[in-house]
Amino acid sequence: MQRVNPIIYIIFLVLSCSNKQTVENSLSERDAAIEIKVQQLLSKMTLQEKASQMVNIGLPSILTGDYWSERDSTVFAPKKFRKFITKYAVGSIHNTPGYLIGSKEWYRIVKEIQDSAIHKTRLGIPLLYGIDNIHGANYVKESVLFPQQIALAATWNRDLSKINGEITAYESRAASLPWNFNPNIDIAINPLWGRIAESFGEDPYLVSEMGAAYIQGSQGESLEDPKTSAICLKHYIGYGAGRNGKDRANALIPENSLRQYYLPPFEQAIKEGAASVMISSNAVNGIPCHINKYYITDILKGEFGFKGVVISDFSDVHFLTEAHEITEDKREATKLAVNAGLDVLMNPYEIDVVDYIVEMVETNEITMERVDDAVTRVLRLKFQLNLFEKPYNNPEDFPELGGERHIQQNYNTASEAITLLKNNENSLPLKKGKKILVTGYAANSMNVLNGAWSRTFLGQDTKYNDPTKLTILNAIENEVGKENVDYVEGTDYTEDINTVKAVSKAKNADYIVVCIGEIPATEKPSDINELQVPEVQQELIKKLAVYNKPIILVMVQGRPRIIRDIEPLSDAIVMAYVPGQEGGRAISDVLFGHINPSGKLPYTYPLYSGNALTYYHKKADIRDITWAYDGFYSQYEFGHGLSYTTFKYSKVTLDKEILNGNETLKVSVTIKNTGKREGKEVAQLYVKDLWASVAPDSKRLIRFEKISLKPNESKTITFEINSADLKFIGIDNTWVVEEGAFEIQVGGNPKELIKKQFEYKI
Ligand code: BGC
């Protein structure tokens, strides 16, 4: 047996008792050794050195020019560089120089910063470099640009989420970027919210599962592996629930909803080993998340036993003063945030908070224990990432960056995401040898396919587009030959360009492919006041419809924009979300049948803006003017998505009628491919509590599995569930399971779920 160092063993015991997570997983010898190194280093640090570890600055702060100046080269400003990097020895850094750079340039930048931190500061602590590599390593020039996360969610394929995480980590690490501000595990309950595109949608279970898989891919077996990246969960918490549907808006979340819907993805992600958490810029019930000690210290670090780093969002200490009006004094705001449990303050432009922290420890407004806790977490992550030994990576060691395997996985993700919402009389796949009119705002734009965080923050700049990638138009032309395609732009996002011309061309077309879309944007610039598809884009379809030619509507959008009026005019509707760089190819391959679509909606597609409910609403929410309970007017339900083949669900059996205590209930279902071609199907399992002391949800997703079936092939899936799947947050705001009748609902089409009842006895 290997001998265990007695000090390591003592630390192991202490940590095992203090952390729920480690009780289950047991602390490895490496982790225990890291704890020793952290404590040794911490004991040598001055208060100011500690406070510096609690600050994250933006890269432009150490470059020539103002923070937001336009740049085309990265030149360090010697005075600023010395101040932040060597004098203060700031703990971490984020952001890009403001233009797109490749792995070699990243290497040069990170190396210069790390070499100075290691060789020119008293303790030689490397910095932690964080970045928003949101859909692939979007800030590394050679990287692949994956579909946005909402599309990844629509695949309902955990393996793809894991692969997206793994490739993003690899391509980030190729640029010496070891810490990624992703994934987003916000529960997006409001379709108006622009960042729904960056989320896994509305359902806590789907979000938890896809989020956990992404973390496994990104963080791998150990962060010591230089091909992995530490993730940063965001945004804790309630960011996707702004009451007015806007970015960073106040959310009203009662304790029971917080625990039932918003916290579970974070809890699961933390069990998965998530390295860090970013606090949300919004307020919940009027309390900015950044000062909410109950959420951060009591729940996240206490109940969930989170041992990683808690970082603020961009400039959010400042926004406690300016946006939230909690105090006009930044020093006071710093105190509130640090005392709430923030370990790192993302304070992009300045180092002022270091001085505040030092001063407030001296005046006992912040305790040294709190500072030590924060710094311990930061140092722990740096050791876990092995940054002391390997502070940057040689790009040459990453030959797969932007390579064939990654491109193929990108294409696979886009293909599996695309969701066929409507297909009247098998209008799709399109037949060859026909004349096609391609039109619409999204038809010939790479930027609309890629969305925000694509080489630039908003993703609107065309100069970084890869000319080898295909727009929807390019891909259709490749498929059927340019001579068979007429292209007319039709509209811009909100302006008519030449709809008259588009209509005149429609006369001679056999098919009309109209590609509508959203302007690439995120955060505040993505706020909208109207969920309807912009009028001019709807008008185009209305005008084209006069010829009675088959209209194929392709939607390139993160949000489910209202299509009530144009839906009946469309023979087939393809939801492409924001499918990334291979999206044009994937859309065309779906249209022409090379890909059999298998995506399912990760959110409810509302029919009316005023009836935008999540599928897990209460019965009283859907009471109609007639007092009947049929007021849930979705255009398409959560989990909806068609295929070019058909699937039949049968033989739904429960292995018992009464589930007792902690027993397992086995739910089996047989799925048969009853159509003519191979296809993938997502079998969904929901549970409905028939009567409960807190009004039960209409239903709740508790399991899903994606399978592939050849024509005539059948498979039987057995889902195992237990009392944990029946629990809900009760009247006293804790999880409870109540005895009584429950209903299992199984299927792949939310309108045709097969229902079976059973009883639960405690
Ligand atoms: C966004 C975060 C992002 C951070 C750092 C903020 O404005 O809300 O999602 O990680 O900036 O760039």
Side-chain angles (χ1 to χ4, degrees), residues 166-230:
E166 178 216 308
I167 293 176
T168 304
Y170 179 100
E171 300 204 336
S172 301
R173 248 355 201 354
S176 295
L177 301 166
W179 185 27
N180 193 9
F181 300 153
N182 207 40
N184 177 320
I185 55 168
D186 298 320
I187 300 296
I189 60 158
N190 196 327
L192 270 181
W193 187 50
R195 297 190 83 177
I196 199 170
E198 292 164 48
S199 79
F200 284 123
E202 75 182 31
D203 180 66
Y205 181 69
L206 182 60
V207 173
S208 301
E209 291 293 297
M210 297 300 277
Y214 186 95
I215 296 166
Q216 288 161 15
S218 178
Q219 298 197 160
E221 291 293 310
S222 160
L223 291 175
E224 192 182 9
D225 176 352
K227 308 263 151 65
T228 62
S229 278

Side-chain angles (χ1 to χ4, degrees), residues 325-336:
E325 301 184 321
I326 289 293
T327 163
E328 64 172 345
D329 179 355
K330 191 168 174 195
R331 178 186 183 277
E332 179 69 11
T334 305
K335 177 170 96 188
L336 293 170

Side-chain angles (χ1 to χ4, degrees), residues 35 38-39 42 371-381:
E35 294 308 320
V38 168
Q39 292 314 317
L42 189 71
V371 169
D372 283 349
D373 171 51
V375 180
T376 296
R377 290 164 183 270
V378 174
L379 297 179
R380 180 184 291 139
L381 183 52

Side-chain angles (χ1 to χ4, degrees), residues 94-95 132 134 181 195 198 234-235 239 247-248 278 281 313-314 346 453 457 523:
H94 81 286
N95 219 337
D132 289 285
I134 304 286
F181 300 153
R195 297 190 83 177
E198 292 164 48
K234 52 194 206 183
H235 306 79
Y239 189 34
D247 183 64
R248 289 165 161 76
M278 186 182 291
S281 286
D313 201 340
F314 192 95
M346 194 188 292
W453 305 105
F457 171 51
E523 299 186 29

Side-chain angles (χ1 to χ4, degrees), residues 181-331:
F181 300 153
N182 207 40
N184 177 320
I185 55 168
D186 298 320
I187 300 296
I189 60 158
N190 196 327
L192 270 181
W193 187 50
R195 297 190 83 177
I196 199 170
E198 292 164 48
S199 79
F200 284 123
E202 75 182 31
D203 180 66
Y205 181 69
L206 182 60
V207 173
S208 301
E209 291 293 297
M210 297 300 277
Y214 186 95
I215 296 166
Q216 288 161 15
S218 178
Q219 298 197 160
E221 291 293 310
S222 160
L223 291 175
E224 192 182 9
D225 176 352
K227 308 263 151 65
T228 62
S229 278
I231 60 92
C232 185
L233 303 174
K234 52 194 206 183
H235 306 79
Y236 187 80
I237 194 162
Y239 189 34
R243 187 163 185 219
N244 61 4
K246 301 288 167 64
D247 183 64
R248 289 165 161 76
N250 186 38
L252 298 179
I253 307 180
E255 182 78 10
N256 59 0
S257 298
L258 180 85
R259 291 183 173 275
Q260 179 94 42
Y261 309 113
Y262 298 91
L263 288 175
F266 283 90
E267 188 173 12
Q268 182 165 338
I270 286 158
K271 284 195 187 126
E272 211 55 66
S276 62
V277 172
M278 186 182 291
I279 300 302
S280 173
S281 286
N282 66 308
V284 174
N285 309 328
I287 306 166
C289 294
H290 283 75
I291 63 166
N292 198 323
K293 188 171 184 200
Y294 172 59
Y295 286 178
I296 302 171
T297 299
D298 299 352
I299 298 181
L300 187 66
K301 293 184 174 177
E303 283 180 41
F304 298 166
F306 179 58
K307 295 280 174 233
V309 172
V310 174
I311 182 171
S312 84
D313 201 340
F314 192 95
S315 248
D316 265 319
V317 168
H318 165 68
F319 287 124
L320 286 173
T321 66
E322 189 201 293
H324 293 292
E325 301 184 321
I326 289 293
T327 163
E328 64 172 345
D329 179 355
K330 191 168 174 195
R331 178 186 183 277

Side-chain angles (χ1 to χ4, degrees), residues 425-644:
E425 290 164 22
N426 297 329
S427 314
L428 290 178
L430 299 178
K431 296 182 185 56
K432 285 268 191 114
K434 305 276 181 185
K435 295 275 178 212
I436 304 176
L437 168 65
V438 178
T439 182
Y441 171 57
N444 196 25
S445 166
M446 257 343 278
N447 297 73
V448 176
L449 292 173
N450 284 328
W453 305 105
S454 297
R455 310 313 189 197
T456 61
F457 171 51
L458 294 181
Q460 294 174 355
D461 201 327
T462 53
K463 74 171 173 259
Y464 299 120
N465 292 343
D466 178 343
T468 67
K469 301 296 173 191
L470 306 182
T471 63
I472 305 172
L473 171 68
N474 302 150
I476 293 178
E477 285 175 344
N478 277 4
E479 176 69 32
V480 298
K482 270 192 168 172
E483 63 285 4
N484 291 314
V485 179
D486 255 333
Y487 168 62
V488 184
E489 290 131 296
T491 78
D492 199 339
Y493 179 52
T494 50
E495 302 292 322
D496 189 318
I497 296 182
N498 50 6
T499 57
V500 172
K501 184 169 171 203
V503 174
S504 74
K505 293 280 182 186
K507 232 181 287 171
N508 304 322
D510 297 308
Y511 297 120
I512 304 171
V513 176
V514 191
C515 307
I516 62 172
E518 288 200 294
I519 194 161
T522 181
E523 299 186 29
K524 293 313 295 179
S526 68
D527 280 353
I528 52 173
N529 292 316
E530 176 57 75
L531 197 54
Q532 291 270 347
V533 168
E535 215 176 312
V536 69
Q537 299 198 48
Q538 295 201 53
E539 276 304 308
L540 172 64
I541 295 160
K542 289 178 190 166
K543 288 176 190 164
L544 290 168
V546 298
Y547 294 114
N548 254 340
K549 301 282 172 77
I551 292 186
I552 313 303
L553 176 60
V554 177
M555 301 196 287
V556 187
Q557 55 191 23
R559 285 175 276 232
R561 306 291 294 256
I562 302 292
I563 52 167
R564 191 177 60 245
D565 295 341
I566 51 176
E567 194 269 354
L569 308 177
S570 311
D571 295 83
I573 302 183
V574 171
M575 172 54 122
Y577 310 95
V578 188
Q581 244 174 356
E582 305 303 330
R585 225 166 27 111
I587 291 168
S588 171
D589 285 351
V590 165
L591 297 183
F592 290 96
H594 305 309
I595 294 287
N596 188 358
S598 63
K600 300 274 185 187
L601 283 177
Y603 46 49
T604 304
Y605 204 117
L607 185 62
Y608 302 102
S609 327
N611 191 272
L613 288 174
T614 51
Y615 83 82
Y616 48 89
H617 48 264
K618 309 290 181 195
K619 189 171 177 186
D621 292 337
I622 61 167
R623 209 160 190 192
D624 206 350
I625 48 174
T626 62
W627 301 94
Y629 296 96
D630 56 2
F632 179 44
Y633 304 111
S634 63
Q635 182 80 61
Y636 303 106
E637 289 192 29
F638 171 85
H640 169 76
L642 305 171
S643 165
Y644 294 150

